[in-house]
Structures are given as structure tokens and as C-alpha cells.
């Protein structure tokens, strides 16, 4: 009999809901239907609208590496005894700090790539009216 896993799903919602959000919801449901325990760690970019001046000034740096995310993920992994971390989106509040927290905790990470945003800010690989591979 296979051992059921404790999965940490990580997702940063954009301000406008989209397909990525549906994938996260459906994955959570599917995993739970198959006996796995799922813990969600989510942020929502609408939080940015409520940032004070200090947070707004730190925002570009936190988008690259968010210490709060690192601490949060390390704590969840330890307290919940997570077996695997599945990351969907880290932009803009979660940041790549999630990977460091998992790696430092020796927990495997799965990354689903929903778009090209990691290599193209517009996420489309489309520029000046045609496909761009630069």
C-alpha cells in the first residue's frame, strides 16, 4: 500500500483570476480525493494595493527574495511534516524564497510552469507583432 503524502501547494494569485487558479484548486481536490493531505500557502497580489510607503519601497527586493516567505515555508514544513512542495506561481509576493526554504529543509520541489513569465516579463514570448525567442 502506498504511503499518502503531505503536499504543500504554493500559489501567488494575480489580481485577476485565471487558469492557474483553477489548476491549483483542481489539483488540491484531486490530491485530497486520493487520500493525500494538502496544505495551501497562498498570497494575492491585491495585497499590494494596501501596502504603506515602506512596503512599497521594499517591494522590488521582496519580489526577488521575500524573507517572510522563507520563514513561513520553513515553519509550515517543520510543523506539518511536509513531504513535497508543489509551486505554481511565485510572482510577485511569494518570491523564489520558497525554493530556498524547501531545499534548506531537504524537501523536494515540483514546479509547474503555467506561462513564460520566468523568461519573459509579458509571459507571452510575443513582441513587435511576432513570436520572440530572444
Amino acid at each position: 500500500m502506498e504511503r499518502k503524502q503531505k503536499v504543500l501547494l504554493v500559489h501567488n494569485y494575480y489580481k485577476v483570476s485565471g487558469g492557474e487558479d483553477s489548476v491549483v484548486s483542481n489539483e488540491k481536490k484531486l490530491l485530497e480525493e486520493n487520500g493525500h493531505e494538502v496544505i495551501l500557502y497562498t498570497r494575492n497580489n491585491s495585497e499590494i494595493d494596501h501596502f504603506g510607503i515602506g512596503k512599497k519601497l521594499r517591494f522590488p527586493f521582496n519580489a526577488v527574495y521575500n524573507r517572510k516567505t522563507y520563514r513561513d515555508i520553513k515553519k509550515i514544513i517543520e510543523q506539518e511534516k511536509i513531504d513535497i512542495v508543489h509551486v505554481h506561481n511565485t510572482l510577485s509576493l511569494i518570491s523564489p524564497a520558497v525554493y530556498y526554504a524547501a531545499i534548506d529543509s531537504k524537501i523536494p520541489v515540483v514546479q509547474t510552469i503555467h506561462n513564460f513569465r520566468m523568461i519573459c516579463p509579458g509571459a507571452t514570448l510575443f513582441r513587435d507583432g511576432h513570436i520572440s525567442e530572444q
Side-chain angles (χ1 to χ4, degrees):
M1 184 167 165
E2 83 180 48
R3 185 174 86 74
K4 300 303 181 181
Q5 301 287 300
K6 280 189 106 172
V7 180
L8 176 60
L9 281 182
V10 178
H11 183 55
N12 196 126
Y13 292 91
Y14 296 118
K15 288 183 179 183
V16 176
S17 184
E20 294 178 24
D21 305 338
S22 297
V23 170
V24 171
S25 177
N26 290 336
E27 178 186 344
K28 180 180 184 300
K29 181 180 175 191
L30 184 63
L31 286 167
E32 289 173 339
E33 285 174 353
N34 285 279
H36 301 286
E37 186 174 344
V38 178
I39 310 295
L40 281 175
Y41 180 82
T42 64
R43 300 285 304 269
N44 191 308
N45 284 344
S46 63
E47 295 173 38
I48 298 166
D49 297 339
H50 307 287
F51 281 3
I53 189 69
K55 275 191 175 182
K56 285 183 180 177
L57 289 172
R58 287 189 304 273
F59 175 68
F61 303 101
N62 285 337
V64 174
Y65 186 89
N66 190 319
R67 288 182 296 199
K68 176 187 178 339
T69 294
Y70 181 89
R71 288 189 305 269
D72 289 350
I73 297 298
K74 287 279 287 183
K75 183 177 179 181
I76 292 168
I77 287 171
E78 183 179 307
Q79 288 182 345
E80 299 292 337
K81 309 232 182 307
I82 298 297
D83 295 303
I84 189 164
V85 175
H86 186 171
V87 179
H88 283 270
N89 181 27
T90 64
L91 296 172
S92 297
L93 298 171
I94 292 176
S95 88
V98 64
Y99 308 116
Y100 292 98
I103 290 167
D104 289 349
S105 299
K106 297 182 177 30
I107 301 298
V109 176
V110 173
Q111 169 71 61
T112 296
I113 306 292
H114 293 278
N115 56 45
F116 298 107
R117 197 166 306 278
M118 288 185 160
I119 59 172
C120 173
T124 61
L125 290 182
F126 196 79
R127 187 175 72 181
D128 299 327
H130 64 278
I131 294 172
S132 172
E133 297 178 347
Q134 292 181 332

